[in-house]
Amino acid sequence: MSPSGQGRKVSVLESIGAHLLLIAAVAFALYPVLWVISTAFSGAAELAPRVLPIPAEPTLEHLRGVAFSALKTPGEPDRWLFGLQFLNSLVISLATALVGIVIAIPTAYALARFEFVGKEGGMRTLLATQMFPTVASAIPLYIILDGLGLLGTRSGLVLCYATTAVPFAIFQLRGAFETIPKDLEEAAMVDGATRFEAFVKVVLPAARPAIAVTALFAFMSAYNEFILAATMLGREEMYTLPVVLQRYISEFSADWPKFAAGSLIVSLPVMLLFYVAQRHLIAGLTSGGVKG
Amino acid sequence: MLTGRAWPSRHVLAALSLALAAFAPLRARAGEDVRLWHAYRDAEADALVQVVEAFTKETGHKVELLAVAHESFGSKLAATIPRGQGPDVFIDSHERLGDFRARELVGPADAALEDHAVYSAPALAAVLQDGVHWGVPLSAKSVALYVNTRLVDHVPKTLEALADLQPGLPTGVFALAYEAQSAYGHMPLLFACGGRMLTDDQKFGFIGPEAERSLAIARDLVDRGVVPTDADGALVQDLFRSGRAAFAISGPWLAGDLAGADLDYTVVPLPLVAATGQPMRPPLTVEAAMLSPGGAQRPAALALARHLGGAPAADLRQRVAGTLSVRADVPVPKDSPLLAGFSAQVATAVPLPATPAMRSTWEPAFRAIRKVLRGQATPAAALAEAEFRFDDVRRPPPPPASPTPALLLVGLALLAAAFYLVQQARDPARREAVRRSLPAYRYVAHSVIAVGLLVIVPLVLGAATSLFAGSPTGGYYVGLTNFVEILTARGGPLLISGSFYFVLLVTIAWTLVNVFFHLAIGLVLGLVLSRPTLRLRALYRVLLIIPWAVPSYVTALAWKGMFHKQFGAITGMIHGLNDLFGTDLKPIAWFSDFSTAFAANVATNVWLGFPFMMVVTLGALTAVPADVLEAAEVDGATRWQRLWRVTLPIVRPALAPAVTLGAIWTFNMFNVVFLVSGGDPDGTTDILVSEAYRWAFTREAQYGYAAAYAVLIFLLLLFITRFPGWLARKLGRAA
């Protein structure tokens, strides 16, 4: 009996079925986003209930309005701030990712490799911090940051975001480190490296995918965060993109087309990052990233 | 010993300081600068800039202007002013004065006012509380009647006559578009019937025959198709702008949005209600320049406030932004019918009370109106319930409790902890263990400090807030009273909407349903995508991750739009199905029923969450060893058996933590519930987190109560995640 002959026939049917399922899933995934795109490019409101999100009177004016909005400062010439605000968002998010993994990596390594007093309690506390809704901790956070003199600064914001991202990062990275066999480090140490050198030169490169994933998570959590940024940043030059976006919703009316256009611009870097990093994404979550 | 191995901390510190140095705080403000905050955009913001420029030219004081999103204005003021970092002057609506005064965010503005005769009496009265003026009135806003002069050639005198125009209009055109469901939008009708929102002694006024009559009239308008259902401001704007509404009730902000549209329109005061003979009178909002307590002491800030309310500024605002002046010496220009219309309306508008009680009327009133308009309750029943809710929110705060028992407990706990520590320190085995742990501590120390200070301390402090009650500036200790109140449903029935147990059940159902779908869809897609023969895999992967990549606050709003009964895409699909298959399905009013509103929330959240599960499954599947599968195939296992008995058990340990985390995130998923259903109908789809948020931010800042909710959520999650493990261990031991 030759399985290959039958297998090939079955595969064609299955392939088609698989593709159909995936196409349906993609349509489901994209449909609301297409609406956002349509709103961003619509010049007029078409008000019959529609199924296909085709923009009515396509126009670029909303995109232009958002991207080139000028800050009018009294007594000074108009300034183009959107680029700076975009940069703010990117840099703050990158800094969050950097600071987050720098704080998390050594801790995750220690949790994976060492036994020490307080290890169990520490892990449980970390998990517990994920369960507390942040609604209640916002105000004490302001007070603490104020005490540190960091209220209203971007560094203060980075610190908040980074430390909020750290517990999750520690879990991810600890799982990743645990799947890297100890023999690798031990071999290095036998060759004369210190534990730290073994850590940096052997373990970290092996865990690169997981580190990339963790950095991406931290980046995204900072990039889309609105409440802390809106409350803490005191100058338009320091605003991040979600804050800028929320300004299109005022008390009595909202400029939905501009809001949608702004959202598209805001989403672009993340999509790019995803596309570039997707192989790492999967590998990183593979290598025990989410193994408890 | 310490120095040689201090590498991790040194490098970490260096990286940290580099990152922080990149963001050195901007220079401190110069002494003469005045800080002005506002929530304007477009033309109003332009006008403000010009006014401020004139001020600087006149007085030489530089003004630091900051535009803040309206949504975060209040909380930003509350977070910064008490720490001396907020604005000197800020522009906001007078109705928030009561709230601001209670939180000590605003100072007396009498010194900034010119001769009182210069301002219109209602405007001045709006900022007067307890004999002191708390702001300089800048402009008055109210809604009025927009008339599409191409569709109608005369303005009826009464609302009933206006409604009678509906049959004569082309199909798809409404006679009147207004926000029937918002309490603010309903007020003109309420006043015309002789009703009110708040009584003089701060009790719920939206009750009684007058209020019921107003609701009956509104319901009638909706039932006859004169007024669109579920209309929000954006829909009213869209309808009027596209010529699908003959009349619209809206404010000056609509005029800005109509610029450039192919439309002929004018603005006139609202009509009478023939049934009562009274005119529809809209609520009046007075925008004022308010001073923070610090700003009220600075001559430069007072000068700015006075200038903002001055004649040249009012005139400029009127010309550039179309906002009505409240000064007697700045009349409405003759050539502007819009301003004339609004000005005529403002003369009969009713200033909104600025007390905190007023703000507590919105939510119950809005829920009652919505219920009646959707035909789910009679006016009398809905209003009685609204009064019940109002009284519930305004219930007197609990009596202060003595902190002595708690302090005693804390003292005892500290003693016990100290005793324990000393005992541990004495134990040589323990000391040895600690000594051996020291190298690990070097790796861990910095994160302990960072996480401890910035995550755990705020959490603990926030949790401690649950032991206090009262206003944000005047909190006092009440022990466990908040918890008792929550767990006893404040003396009311245990399972009505708004009671802790009801919300808990909804939250548990929400979590279970979501996790099930996340897992099912994620698993199926992961399995399909990991077929080695599949082409275009990378493309599919990137596309399927998009729900995760676009910010959730944007897509949640997009989903909400899709579920709109009259104009949403889902209704469009139903129409399409009817056309294709000849069926007669009716469009669904998604947010009128619990089951459909819940389904809408679930659909959105499943859409948001399946990519995460899919990616985790993909990753886990790559760890399934091919040789085990081959061996199973050789042994004669079918595809299904291989999946069920080999693949899934291997994948399960990798999935478990993701499922746990996903469940925790879903349990606390605020965005979707708040933005999509908003708790509709009647707060029944609210989950614990969104209920806590309402207590903190929309029900008179009852932070202690909200914090108690947060602590309960935390304890619940702790229990739920630890219980299965504990149970398994106990059972494992027994087996």
Side-chain angles (χ1 to χ4, degrees), chain A residues 36-64:
Chain A
V36 176
I37 297 179
S38 167
T39 312
F41 288 110
S42 289
E46 176 59 53
L47 280 178
R50 283 180 297 140
V51 179
L52 289 178
I54 302 172
E57 289 180 40
T59 167
L60 286 176
E61 60 165 308
H62 303 302
L63 264 181
R64 261 185 277 139

mmCIF file of all heavy atoms in Angstrom, chain A residues 36-64:
data_model
loop_
_atom_site.group_PDB
_atom_site.id
_atom_site.type_symbol
_atom_site.label_atom_id
_atom_site.label_comp_id
_atom_site.label_asym_id
_atom_site.label_seq_id
_atom_site.Cartn_x
_atom_site.Cartn_y
_atom_site.Cartn_z
ATOM 1 N N VAL A 36 -11.933 51.112 10.283
ATOM 2 C CA VAL A 36 -11.136 52.233 10.777
ATOM 3 C C VAL A 36 -10.460 52.934 9.604
ATOM 4 O O VAL A 36 -10.460 54.159 9.493
ATOM 5 C CB VAL A 36 -10.074 51.755 11.794
ATOM 6 C CG1 VAL A 36 -9.196 52.894 12.217
ATOM 7 C CG2 VAL A 36 -10.749 51.147 13.002
ATOM 8 N N ILE A 37 -9.920 52.116 8.692
ATOM 9 C CA ILE A 37 -9.265 52.689 7.521
ATOM 10 C C ILE A 37 -10.264 53.485 6.700
ATOM 11 O O ILE A 37 -9.994 54.592 6.238
ATOM 12 C CB ILE A 37 -8.624 51.583 6.665
ATOM 13 C CG1 ILE A 37 -7.534 50.878 7.460
ATOM 14 C CG2 ILE A 37 -8.073 52.141 5.372
ATOM 15 C CD1 ILE A 37 -6.872 49.758 6.711
ATOM 16 N N SER A 38 -11.463 52.902 6.529
ATOM 17 C CA SER A 38 -12.471 53.583 5.730
ATOM 18 C C SER A 38 -12.846 54.923 6.346
ATOM 19 O O SER A 38 -12.965 55.929 5.656
ATOM 20 C CB SER A 38 -13.703 52.683 5.615
ATOM 21 O OG SER A 38 -14.782 53.414 5.126
ATOM 22 N N THR A 39 -13.030 54.952 7.668
ATOM 23 C CA THR A 39 -13.378 56.219 8.320
ATOM 24 C C THR A 39 -12.267 57.233 8.140
ATOM 25 O O THR A 39 -12.521 58.423 7.964
ATOM 26 C CB THR A 39 -13.598 56.007 9.824
ATOM 27 O OG1 THR A 39 -14.446 54.890 10.024
ATOM 28 C CG2 THR A 39 -14.213 57.232 10.450
ATOM 29 N N ALA A 40 -11.036 56.736 8.177
ATOM 30 C CA ALA A 40 -9.918 57.662 8.069
ATOM 31 C C ALA A 40 -9.856 58.309 6.701
ATOM 32 O O ALA A 40 -9.347 59.415 6.552
ATOM 33 C CB ALA A 40 -8.612 56.931 8.362
ATOM 34 N N PHE A 41 -10.352 57.614 5.688
ATOM 35 C CA PHE A 41 -10.226 58.159 4.349
ATOM 36 C C PHE A 41 -11.532 58.691 3.785
ATOM 37 O O PHE A 41 -11.590 59.057 2.623
ATOM 38 C CB PHE A 41 -9.667 57.087 3.401
ATOM 39 C CG PHE A 41 -8.226 56.787 3.645
ATOM 40 C CD1 PHE A 41 -7.846 55.567 4.192
ATOM 41 C CD2 PHE A 41 -7.248 57.713 3.364
ATOM 42 C CE1 PHE A 41 -6.518 55.296 4.447
ATOM 43 C CE2 PHE A 41 -5.913 57.445 3.595
ATOM 44 C CZ PHE A 41 -5.552 56.238 4.147
ATOM 45 N N SER A 42 -12.590 58.735 4.594
ATOM 46 C CA SER A 42 -13.877 59.181 4.063
ATOM 47 C C SER A 42 -14.013 60.670 4.171
ATOM 48 O O SER A 42 -13.814 61.232 5.230
ATOM 49 C CB SER A 42 -15.027 58.545 4.846
ATOM 50 O OG SER A 42 -15.113 57.204 4.561
ATOM 51 N N GLY A 43 -14.413 61.274 3.087
ATOM 52 C CA GLY A 43 -14.633 62.710 3.117
ATOM 53 C C GLY A 43 -16.017 63.053 3.639
ATOM 54 O O GLY A 43 -16.234 64.074 4.242
ATOM 55 N N ALA A 44 -16.975 62.174 3.394
ATOM 56 C CA ALA A 44 -18.343 62.473 3.834
ATOM 57 C C ALA A 44 -18.885 61.250 4.527
ATOM 58 O O ALA A 44 -18.367 60.159 4.376
ATOM 59 C CB ALA A 44 -19.221 62.833 2.644
ATOM 60 N N ALA A 45 -19.950 61.437 5.285
ATOM 61 C CA ALA A 45 -20.509 60.302 5.982
ATOM 62 C C ALA A 45 -21.603 59.670 5.129
ATOM 63 O O ALA A 45 -22.561 60.304 4.771
ATOM 64 C CB ALA A 45 -21.091 60.761 7.304
ATOM 65 N N GLU A 46 -21.401 58.413 4.780
ATOM 66 C CA GLU A 46 -22.416 57.688 4.016
ATOM 67 C C GLU A 46 -23.262 56.921 5.007
ATOM 68 O O GLU A 46 -22.732 56.109 5.764
ATOM 69 C CB GLU A 46 -21.706 56.723 3.061
ATOM 70 C CG GLU A 46 -22.648 55.831 2.283
ATOM 71 C CD GLU A 46 -23.629 56.608 1.431
ATOM 72 O OE1 GLU A 46 -23.175 57.467 0.643
ATOM 73 O OE2 GLU A 46 -24.834 56.364 1.554
ATOM 74 N N LEU A 47 -24.548 57.206 5.048
ATOM 75 C CA LEU A 47 -25.257 56.705 6.204
ATOM 76 C C LEU A 47 -26.185 55.531 6.014
ATOM 77 O O LEU A 47 -26.957 55.218 6.892
ATOM 78 C CB LEU A 47 -26.029 57.842 6.858
ATOM 79 C CG LEU A 47 -25.083 58.669 7.713
ATOM 80 C CD1 LEU A 47 -25.837 59.812 8.317
ATOM 81 C CD2 LEU A 47 -24.521 57.831 8.840
ATOM 82 N N ALA A 48 -26.177 54.891 4.874
ATOM 83 C CA ALA A 48 -26.943 53.645 4.841
ATOM 84 C C ALA A 48 -26.070 52.579 5.481
ATOM 85 O O ALA A 48 -24.860 52.607 5.326
ATOM 86 C CB ALA A 48 -27.260 53.276 3.409
ATOM 87 N N PRO A 49 -26.661 51.640 6.209
ATOM 88 C CA PRO A 49 -25.799 50.618 6.807
ATOM 89 C C PRO A 49 -25.105 49.813 5.720
ATOM 90 O O PRO A 49 -25.746 49.230 4.862
ATOM 91 C CB PRO A 49 -26.763 49.722 7.597
ATOM 92 C CG PRO A 49 -28.119 50.115 7.170
ATOM 93 C CD PRO A 49 -28.066 51.444 6.535
ATOM 94 N N ARG A 50 -23.799 49.836 5.717
ATOM 95 C CA ARG A 50 -23.052 49.189 4.658
ATOM 96 C C ARG A 50 -22.324 47.979 5.167
ATOM 97 O O ARG A 50 -21.947 47.914 6.322
ATOM 98 C CB ARG A 50 -22.036 50.162 4.074
ATOM 99 C CG ARG A 50 -22.644 51.169 3.148
ATOM 100 C CD ARG A 50 -21.576 52.092 2.630
ATOM 101 N NE ARG A 50 -20.955 52.850 3.696
ATOM 102 C CZ ARG A 50 -19.654 53.104 3.742
ATOM 103 N NH1 ARG A 50 -18.857 52.639 2.827
ATOM 104 N NH2 ARG A 50 -19.162 53.828 4.719
ATOM 105 N N VAL A 51 -22.071 47.068 4.265
ATOM 106 C CA VAL A 51 -21.287 45.893 4.633
ATOM 107 C C VAL A 51 -19.836 46.075 4.248
ATOM 108 O O VAL A 51 -18.924 45.759 4.991
ATOM 109 C CB VAL A 51 -21.851 44.636 3.944
ATOM 110 C CG1 VAL A 51 -21.011 43.441 4.307
ATOM 111 C CG2 VAL A 51 -23.291 44.410 4.348
ATOM 112 N N LEU A 52 -19.616 46.621 3.065
ATOM 113 C CA LEU A 52 -18.238 46.765 2.610
ATOM 114 C C LEU A 52 -17.695 48.111 3.049
ATOM 115 O O LEU A 52 -18.249 49.145 2.713
ATOM 116 C CB LEU A 52 -18.176 46.669 1.078
ATOM 117 C CG LEU A 52 -18.421 45.280 0.523
ATOM 118 C CD1 LEU A 52 -18.396 45.317 -0.993
ATOM 119 C CD2 LEU A 52 -17.365 44.313 1.035
ATOM 120 N N PRO A 53 -16.591 48.108 3.755
ATOM 121 C CA PRO A 53 -16.059 49.380 4.242
ATOM 122 C C PRO A 53 -15.303 50.155 3.181
ATOM 123 O O PRO A 53 -14.102 50.333 3.249
ATOM 124 C CB PRO A 53 -15.131 48.947 5.382
ATOM 125 C CG PRO A 53 -14.719 47.574 5.030
ATOM 126 C CD PRO A 53 -15.822 46.947 4.263
ATOM 127 N N ILE A 54 -16.028 50.634 2.193
ATOM 128 C CA ILE A 54 -15.372 51.428 1.163
ATOM 129 C C ILE A 54 -15.582 52.884 1.545
ATOM 130 O O ILE A 54 -16.705 53.304 1.793
ATOM 131 C CB ILE A 54 -15.995 51.156 -0.213
ATOM 132 C CG1 ILE A 54 -15.889 49.667 -0.520
ATOM 133 C CG2 ILE A 54 -15.304 51.966 -1.275
ATOM 134 C CD1 ILE A 54 -16.635 49.279 -1.766
ATOM 135 N N PRO A 55 -14.529 53.667 1.545
ATOM 136 C CA PRO A 55 -14.704 55.059 1.972
ATOM 137 C C PRO A 55 -15.586 55.823 0.992
ATOM 138 O O PRO A 55 -15.447 55.681 -0.218
ATOM 139 C CB PRO A 55 -13.289 55.628 1.998
ATOM 140 C CG PRO A 55 -12.403 54.603 1.457
ATOM 141 C CD PRO A 55 -13.131 53.328 1.285
ATOM 142 N N ALA A 56 -16.479 56.645 1.534
ATOM 143 C CA ALA A 56 -17.280 57.523 0.692
ATOM 144 C C ALA A 56 -16.463 58.771 0.440
ATOM 145 O O ALA A 56 -15.966 59.382 1.363
ATOM 146 C CB ALA A 56 -18.565 57.874 1.425
ATOM 147 N N GLU A 57 -16.346 59.179 -0.813
ATOM 148 C CA GLU A 57 -15.532 60.362 -1.148
ATOM 149 C C GLU A 57 -14.136 60.259 -0.564
ATOM 150 O O GLU A 57 -13.760 61.021 0.326
ATOM 151 C CB GLU A 57 -16.200 61.622 -0.614
ATOM 152 C CG GLU A 57 -17.457 61.999 -1.366
ATOM 153 C CD GLU A 57 -18.065 63.258 -0.764
ATOM 154 O OE1 GLU A 57 -17.302 64.167 -0.400
ATOM 155 O OE2 GLU A 57 -19.300 63.311 -0.645
ATOM 156 N N PRO A 58 -13.337 59.331 -1.103
ATOM 157 C CA PRO A 58 -12.011 59.141 -0.521
ATOM 158 C C PRO A 58 -11.194 60.418 -0.532
ATOM 159 O O PRO A 58 -11.217 61.163 -1.502
ATOM 160 C CB PRO A 58 -11.360 58.090 -1.418
ATOM 161 C CG PRO A 58 -12.438 57.517 -2.240
ATOM 162 C CD PRO A 58 -13.565 58.481 -2.268
ATOM 163 N N THR A 59 -10.519 60.652 0.576
ATOM 164 C CA THR A 59 -9.728 61.870 0.657
ATOM 165 C C THR A 59 -8.549 61.641 1.585
ATOM 166 O O THR A 59 -8.611 60.810 2.481
ATOM 167 C CB THR A 59 -10.585 63.023 1.192
ATOM 168 O OG1 THR A 59 -9.724 64.109 1.534
ATOM 169 C CG2 THR A 59 -11.294 62.603 2.459
ATOM 170 N N LEU A 60 -7.510 62.415 1.370
ATOM 171 C CA LEU A 60 -6.348 62.293 2.246
ATOM 172 C C LEU A 60 -6.328 63.389 3.292
ATOM 173 O O LEU A 60 -5.377 63.497 4.062
ATOM 174 C CB LEU A 60 -5.065 62.384 1.419
ATOM 175 C CG LEU A 60 -4.720 61.164 0.576
ATOM 176 C CD1 LEU A 60 -3.474 61.447 -0.253
ATOM 177 C CD2 LEU A 60 -4.465 59.967 1.466
ATOM 178 N N GLU A 61 -7.398 64.209 3.325
ATOM 179 C CA GLU A 61 -7.298 65.398 4.178
ATOM 180 C C GLU A 61 -7.191 65.062 5.652
ATOM 181 O O GLU A 61 -6.554 65.769 6.419
ATOM 182 C CB GLU A 61 -8.504 66.313 3.946
ATOM 183 C CG GLU A 61 -9.813 65.640 4.267
ATOM 184 C CD GLU A 61 -10.961 66.635 4.402
ATOM 185 O OE1 GLU A 61 -10.797 67.598 5.168
ATOM 186 O OE2 GLU A 61 -11.990 66.432 3.757
ATOM 187 N N HIS A 62 -7.802 63.955 6.080
ATOM 188 C CA HIS A 62 -7.730 63.630 7.506
ATOM 189 C C HIS A 62 -6.320 63.223 7.885
ATOM 190 O O HIS A 62 -5.792 63.637 8.913
ATOM 191 C CB HIS A 62 -8.706 62.507 7.854
ATOM 192 C CG HIS A 62 -10.114 62.829 7.479
ATOM 193 N ND1 HIS A 62 -10.772 63.931 7.953
ATOM 194 C CD2 HIS A 62 -10.975 62.197 6.662
ATOM 195 C CE1 HIS A 62 -11.990 63.959 7.454
ATOM 196 N NE2 HIS A 62 -12.154 62.923 6.671
ATOM 197 N N LEU A 63 -5.722 62.386 7.030
ATOM 198 C CA LEU A 63 -4.351 61.987 7.291
ATOM 199 C C LEU A 63 -3.446 63.200 7.355
ATOM 200 O O LEU A 63 -2.615 63.354 8.241
ATOM 201 C CB LEU A 63 -3.854 61.052 6.184
ATOM 202 C CG LEU A 63 -3.959 59.566 6.460
ATOM 203 C CD1 LEU A 63 -3.412 58.797 5.285
ATOM 204 C CD2 LEU A 63 -3.167 59.207 7.705
ATOM 205 N N ARG A 64 -3.647 64.078 6.378
ATOM 206 C CA ARG A 64 -2.799 65.258 6.356
ATOM 207 C C ARG A 64 -3.065 66.107 7.578
ATOM 208 O O ARG A 64 -2.143 66.653 8.187
ATOM 209 C CB ARG A 64 -3.067 66.076 5.076
ATOM 210 C CG ARG A 64 -2.029 65.810 4.005
ATOM 211 C CD ARG A 64 -2.220 66.685 2.796
ATOM 212 N NE ARG A 64 -3.219 66.137 1.906
ATOM 213 C CZ ARG A 64 -4.135 66.869 1.283
ATOM 214 N NH1 ARG A 64 -4.163 68.152 1.451
ATOM 215 N NH2 ARG A 64 -5.006 66.309 0.480
#
